[in-house]
Amino acid sequence: MRVLLQNLTKKFPNRNKKEKEDVIAVNDFTFEIPDGKLVGLLGPSGCGKSTTLNLISGLLKPTSGKIFFGDDDVTNLPPENRGIGLVFQNYALYPHLTVRQNIIFPLQNLKGKNKLSKDQMNQKALEIAKLVQLDGLMDRKPNELSGGQQQRVAIARALVKIPRVLLLDEPLSNLDARLRLQTREEIRRIQRETGITTVFVTHDQDEAMSISDIIVVMKDGVVQQIGAPQEVYDNPSNLFVAKFLGTPPISIFTGSIKAGRLYIGNDNVCSVDIPDTAKVDVGIRPEGFILKEDGPLACKLDRVEVMGRDISVVSQHEAAQTTHIRSIISSDNKVDFGASQVRFSIKPNKLLIFDADTGNRITCNLQ
Ligand code: ADP
Ligand code: MG
């Protein structure tokens, strides 16, 4: 099911009574979610992710704008008539019901021609339980399940009516690290197998990048960028997006352009086709640093952390905007742990230049 969000805006009265201005939780959001894709809605806490999801679900009404599922205008439909499956951070299972009963629950209030017999309901519950690999646990109560299993029951319950759109709001936040990884792979597999158009809300960039076909990065209610995860990582449209994606994070420096050369502090780093500019922000991804004895970027070596496959070199530079610069290099490199200085050359496709005032990316050729 294709989902179209058209100029979607949601304003709330300010919670702080002294401030008269409304909070614009979602600001003019337009996007067409292609049929069968998994879209990751990503951004820091308070940026409007849940509000967007609740607008799609119908739990909230937009202040302006429209929502279409396929050709149906669902803007004024209540949630129960939209054909959605919802999963939240807290699994919200019925504690006194078994796994089977929890999964069957949404089927029990089907009416008219959709009404199912008990056998049909049990059959459907079993099919979905198999999909989420819970079929051996049908008679347990929620308190006899791990967090990951409970969340799978919640997912099964959201899927049992075969929704047109599946909506997940931070579904992995209550799970420990290992379960989080496992469950996100599970969600990805279930989504692929069912082909249900899915919106997955998270503040965790790693999660969004690994699970999504398309990510939407939001800040203060405004969409910053939409694209395939790799495309957004490689070509962030602004400094906010560049900083939000990637672990370890991108290192930011204050630079300048003089006579076709990019300077970071006093270091003459590379040639660039941008007119002279007194101040730019320069971002370098951790994998963009190449250890080189006569490399142009001279940094003060802080420490070297061995991580097995890779080495993380932590250093400092007077033009860096953060106290530490993190570079990831292959452990095949020999690093002199005792040296006070370390020099790098930079991979041109890992170096990004931003307007120092607006934060917008300046696209250019680097050499
Ligand atoms: P996120 O899910 O990205 O953390 P939300 O969508 O929950 O963000 O919230 C976006 C903004 O809208 C925040 O500033 C939040 O305080 C505000 N907000 C959300 N719900 C309400 C509400 N019911 N009343 C007033 N403000 C709200
Ligand atoms: Mg939220």
Side-chain angles (χ1 to χ4, degrees), residues 25-39:
V26 178
N27 195 343
D28 198 20
F29 188 166
T30 296
F31 178 43
E32 184 175 320
I33 303 173
D35 180 34
K37 297 291 181 200
L38 193 158
V39 171

Side-chain angles (χ1 to χ4, degrees), residues 12-15 23-26 43-52 60 169-170 201:
F12 291 110
N14 209 305
R15 281 177 180 151
V23 174
I24 308 179
V26 178
S45 174
C47 74
K49 304 181 295 295
S50 294
T51 305
T52 304
L60 286 173
D169 194 347
E170 311 246 8
V201 161

Side-chain angles (χ1 to χ4, degrees), residues 11 25 59 70 94 120 137 141 147 183 192 220 223 282 306 327:
K11 297 181 185 177
L59 292 171
Y94 299 105
Q120 286 171 318
L137 305 172
K141 297 267 175 74
T183 314
R192 284 238 168 93
D220 299 336
V223 172
V282 182
V306 178
S327 34

Side-chain angles (χ1 to χ4, degrees), residues 117-182:
S117 70
K118 197 146 194 191
D119 278 351
Q120 286 171 318
M121 286 195 268
N122 279 332
Q123 186 54 35
K124 274 197 192 282
L126 189 63
E127 279 166 28
I128 293 294
K130 280 193 180 139
L131 182 71
V132 302
Q133 293 170 353
L134 280 172
D135 43 315
L137 305 172
M138 295 298 266
D139 294 312
R140 297 227 191 145
K141 297 267 175 74
N143 65 3
E144 296 163 337
L145 300 174
S146 73
Q149 290 167 337
Q150 290 185 47
Q151 192 57 302
R152 278 191 273 156
V153 178
I155 294 167
R157 195 176 52 183
L159 287 174
V160 74
K161 277 209 249 174
I162 315 294
R164 300 201 282 178
V165 183
L166 179 63
L167 305 168
L168 307 146
D169 194 347
E170 311 246 8
L172 309 179
S173 297
N174 282 353
L175 307 181
D176 64 45
R178 192 176 287 266
L179 262 181
R180 205 148 61 215
L181 268 179
Q182 203 184 335

Side-chain angles (χ1 to χ4, degrees), residues 280-313:
V280 289
D281 289 325
V282 182
I284 304 176
R285 292 282 182 204
E287 68 277 20
F289 295 84
I290 305 167
L291 267 187
K292 201 167 172 214
E293 254 172 60
D294 58 350
L297 191 71
C299 300
K300 183 170 162 290
L301 181 62
D302 229 35
R303 62 180 187 277
V304 177
E305 294 168 2
V306 178
M307 304 189 296
R309 185 168 49 100
D310 300 317
I311 302 175
S312 167
V313 178

Side-chain angles (χ1 to χ4, degrees), residues 93-107:
L93 302 177
Y94 299 105
H96 59 289
L97 300 183
T98 63
V99 169
R100 179 183 292 103
Q101 291 165 330
N102 265 286
I103 299 175
I104 282 176
F105 198 83
L107 299 175

Side-chain angles (χ1 to χ4, degrees), residues 33 41 78 87 112 115 155 165 217 221 241 300 318 325 341 358:
I33 303 173
L41 210 53
V87 178
K115 198 168 161 52
I155 294 167
V165 183
V217 185
V241 175
K300 183 170 162 290
E318 78 274 2
I325 305 156
Q341 201 195 47
T358 63

